[in-house]
Amino acid sequence: MAEEGYVAPHTVDEVVSLLVEAGGDARVMAGGTDVLVQLHADLIEPGLFVDIKNIPELRTIAAEAGGFRVGAAVTSMELVDHEAFNAAWPGVVEGVALIGSVQVQGRATMGGNLCNASPAADSVPPLIAAQAVAAIVGPGGPREVPVEDIITGPGQTSLDQGEILVSFLFPPRAPHSGDCYMRLTPRTEMDIAVVGAGINLTLDDAGTCVAARVALGAVAPTPLLVAQAADALIGSKVDDAAMAKLATAASSACHAISDKRGTKLYRIKTVGVIARRAAEKALERARKN
Amino acid sequence: MAKKVHVTTTVNGDEHEFLCETSQTLVDVLRGELELTGTKEGCSTGDCGACSVIFDGNLVCSCLVLAIEADGKSIETIEGMADGKELHPLQQKFLELNGLQCGICTPGILIAAKALLQRNPDPTETEIRFWLAGNLCRCTGYDKIIRSVLAAAAEMREG
Ligand SMILES: Cc1cc2nc3c(=O)[nH]c(=O)nc-3n(C[C@H](O)[C@H](O)[C@H](O)COP(=O)(O)OP(=O)(O)OC[C@H]3O[C@@H](n4cnc5c(N)ncnc54)[C@H](O)[C@@H]3O)c2cc1C
Ligand code: FES
Ligand code: FES
């Protein structure tokens, strides 16, 4: 077991060797907005904190292959302030901008939001809808995984011992594309999603939807990519009939539980409404570019 | 068991050194070791904003920062807000317009408002309300806080 401590390495390789050496006793820390809450609630007791914020690769937003590569430890605030990324992926920015307060957003990262693996994580549905790919590095080398394959259950990910998430790759944007993330909460700020929906769609020149992805949050143990909901839009003019089908498909995909934030029935109903509203906004954006 | 770590940091322009344990938070050290008790600790979970400080240029909750992370960084707290005896316009307006009652939330709100005005010298009421959503106040009902920030912003724009 490693001695109780804190390290802030400058390279991914150092992180991986530290994690391997510690054999499960170490905890990666990005913004710490989940980890430190868990530490002080005595939910975790790591022997070693490995702070990944000093690794330049994890802190960079860069154009790549016609799209963007965003480091796993880029903060919400840095994304909110990045004009080119906002223009391309406003829905992803809507997700990160809903994470906590301005204070939390100054520290919180998309990598942490994904790896904390909450069913209600706000940046995850728009990341899945965007078809973002997670770049992971571990003792076995690098691998790339679609974001929807990372979360396997509440608090559980498919990352192996010693692996870290390094960055997200966002694909190039076709003309007439738009995305949006919306969630339902009793308060507009500082609340956890009752349901959430991320929608990403592309139209052809005639306004027919040629591609769509729909991802739902807080309606199942993991965020869901719902192909039937996307199929409701693809091939349509995204008219009323298609929107109604989308809402029905979103509601049918809901495997929610009842808890203090909402009953199962409430979630089934409202996820359809929220998915539709998010699709309307995504459509409006797609028509503008 | 836990060994202490030596940290050097800049607070309100002055260099400070302290010893801390790995799991100690920044608010803990600011208040305990450095005796800068202007920063308050309410919830310790990032929800109330009482512990707001500016950490390397970013507004953060100091209860969600490890003290050890402060090594080589620069921190602004409420103690650095007034210029000697001269209050910052935000502090002055909070006094004039009753933007505080018990005062527990006030240092955090002043720091958060200062960070907002650095970014946006002319915020709308809505922008102020959204920006301060992470700062809870149990006394004032918020209205006077928002008015104080609007008034301070107007005065600062006039120079
Ligand atoms: C007051 C408050 C309000 C909040 N509101 C919301 C909200 O509205 N919506 C929401 O979704 N979340 C919310 N959160 C939760 C939290 O802020 C987010 O999940 C945030 O994105 C976590 O990012 P982080 O960088 O702080 O993660 P950390 O706390 O640093 O890490 C979270 C987890 O991910 C692991 N991890 C982090 N980065 C990596 C990586 N690169 N590779 C492998 N593992 C990694 C850590 O080991 C840890 O298990 C809130 C938190 C607070 C305190
Ligand atoms: S004490 Fe830090 S946010 Fe409440
Ligand atoms: S003045 Fe008492 S909590 Fe705000």
Side-chain angles (χ1 to χ4, degrees):
Chain A
M1 188 182 109
E3 224 175 294
E4 179 180 298
Y6 165 93
V7 276
H10 291 271
T11 66
V12 171
D13 288 348
E14 278 173 85
V15 172
V16 172
S17 16
L18 283 161
L19 293 178
V20 170
E21 207 178 301
D25 190 40
R27 180 61 75 137
V28 169
M29 179 172 110
T33 60
D34 282 312
V35 161
L36 296 182
V37 172
Q38 289 158 9
L39 175 78
H40 293 116
D42 293 327
L43 294 172
I44 57 168
E45 215 182 331
L48 184 70
F49 280 107
V50 184
D51 186 339
I52 56 173
K53 289 192 292 293
N54 289 344
I55 307 172
E57 199 181 341
L58 270 74
R59 297 300 302 270
T60 311
I61 307 175
E64 185 178 317
F68 282 96
R69 187 173 290 281
V70 177
V74 167
T75 65
S76 296
M77 213 45 145
E78 286 162 352
L79 271 172
V80 167
D81 285 343
H82 196 283
E83 273 179 36
F85 188 84
N86 270 266
W89 297 104
V92 175
V93 175
E94 278 162 342
V96 301
L98 282 168
I99 298 177
S101 56
V102 176
Q103 285 88 333
V104 171
Q105 286 163 27
R107 300 264 296 170
T109 68
M110 281 200 302
N113 198 224
L114 179 61
C115 294
N116 189 59
S118 156
D122 282 309
S123 71
V124 179
L127 276 170
I128 293 175
Q131 212 164 355
V133 172
I136 295 166
V137 174
R143 61 187 182 106
E144 299 207 323
V145 183
V147 168
E148 59 268 30
D149 294 338
I150 300 281
I151 301 183
T152 54
Q156 303 295 321
T157 70
S158 56
L159 266 63
D160 281 331
Q161 167 61 36
E163 283 190 326
I164 68 160
L165 177 62
V166 173
S167 61
F168 296 96
L169 183 63
F170 292 81
R173 220 60 183 115
H176 316 305
S177 294
D179 74 334
C180 177
Y181 173 72
M182 281 187 195
R183 69 176 188 183
L184 176 71
T185 50
R187 252 192 111 191
T188 53
E189 289 285 287
M190 297 294 285
D191 210 336
I192 296 173
V194 178
V195 296
I199 312 266
N200 178 23
L201 54 82
T202 301
L203 308 173
D204 65 11
D205 288 337
T208 303
C209 176
V210 290
R213 283 170 68 92
V214 176
L216 307 178
V219 297
T222 68
L224 298 178
L225 175 65
V226 185
Q228 298 89 316
D231 290 345
L233 301 178
I234 297 169
S236 79
K237 296 270 185 197
V238 202
D239 47 17
D240 255 6
M243 288 292 193
K245 271 203 233 166
L246 162 77
T248 309
S251 288
S252 332
C254 176
H255 300 293
I257 52 165
S258 294
D259 64 11
K260 63 179 176 188
R261 284 190 200 89
T263 61
K264 182 175 172 177
L265 194 63
Y266 182 62
R267 287 196 158 100
I268 291 173
K269 285 215 162 183
T270 52
V271 74
V273 176
I274 293 293
R276 182 178 178 144
R277 286 185 195 163
E280 280 161 4
K281 189 76 197 177
L283 178 67
E284 187 187 313
R285 286 175 176 157
R287 284 180 175 154
K288 280 192 196 141
N289 55 40
Chain B
M1 207 187 86
K3 63 173 191 244
K4 294 220 170 185
V5 189
H6 183 249
V7 173
T8 308
T9 191
T10 305
V11 185
N12 303 323
D14 298 328
E15 195 169 284
H16 288 270
E17 295 181 37
F18 58 83
L19 291 173
C20 70
E21 287 173 17
T22 305
S23 58
Q24 256 181 303
T25 57
L26 181 59
V27 65
D28 200 20
V29 165
L30 285 173
R31 292 178 54 82
E33 305 294 323
L34 304 182
E35 297 185 1
L36 294 168
T37 53
T39 303
K40 306 302 178 201
E41 183 162 21
C43 63
S44 321
T45 53
D47 292 287
C48 77
C51 65
S52 298
V53 300
I54 296 173
F55 183 71
D56 242 19
N58 294 310
L59 179 67
V60 303
C61 293
S62 57
C63 70
L64 292 185
V65 176
L66 289 177
I68 200 170
E69 291 182 61
D71 198 39
K73 299 274 162 58
S74 122
I75 302 162
E76 292 170 53
T77 71
I78 188 66
E79 284 85 355
M81 200 151 169
D83 186 4
K85 283 212 156 90
E86 188 161 339
L87 293 180
H88 187 280
L90 276 162
Q91 292 173 306
Q92 192 57 46
K93 288 296 167 200
F94 269 65
L95 278 178
E96 287 170 16
L97 301 174
N98 301 315
L100 69 152
Q101 288 181 26
C102 81
I104 278 282
C105 69
T106 313
I109 290 186
L110 287 169
I111 287 288
K114 182 178 160 197
L116 169 63
L117 299 187
Q118 270 164 3
R119 221 179 127 93
N120 177 4
D122 192 7
T124 62
E125 176 178 337
T126 305
E127 284 167 340
I128 298 171
R129 286 187 185 274
F130 272 96
W131 185 271
L132 294 179
N135 291 85
L136 301 184
C137 173
R138 297 283 76 193
C139 307
T140 62
Y142 300 102
D143 202 53
K144 290 173 177 170
I145 292 175
I146 309 297
R147 284 168 205 271
S148 306
V149 177
L150 279 166
E155 188 177 293
M156 285 165 73
R157 284 196 306 277
E158 279 160 24

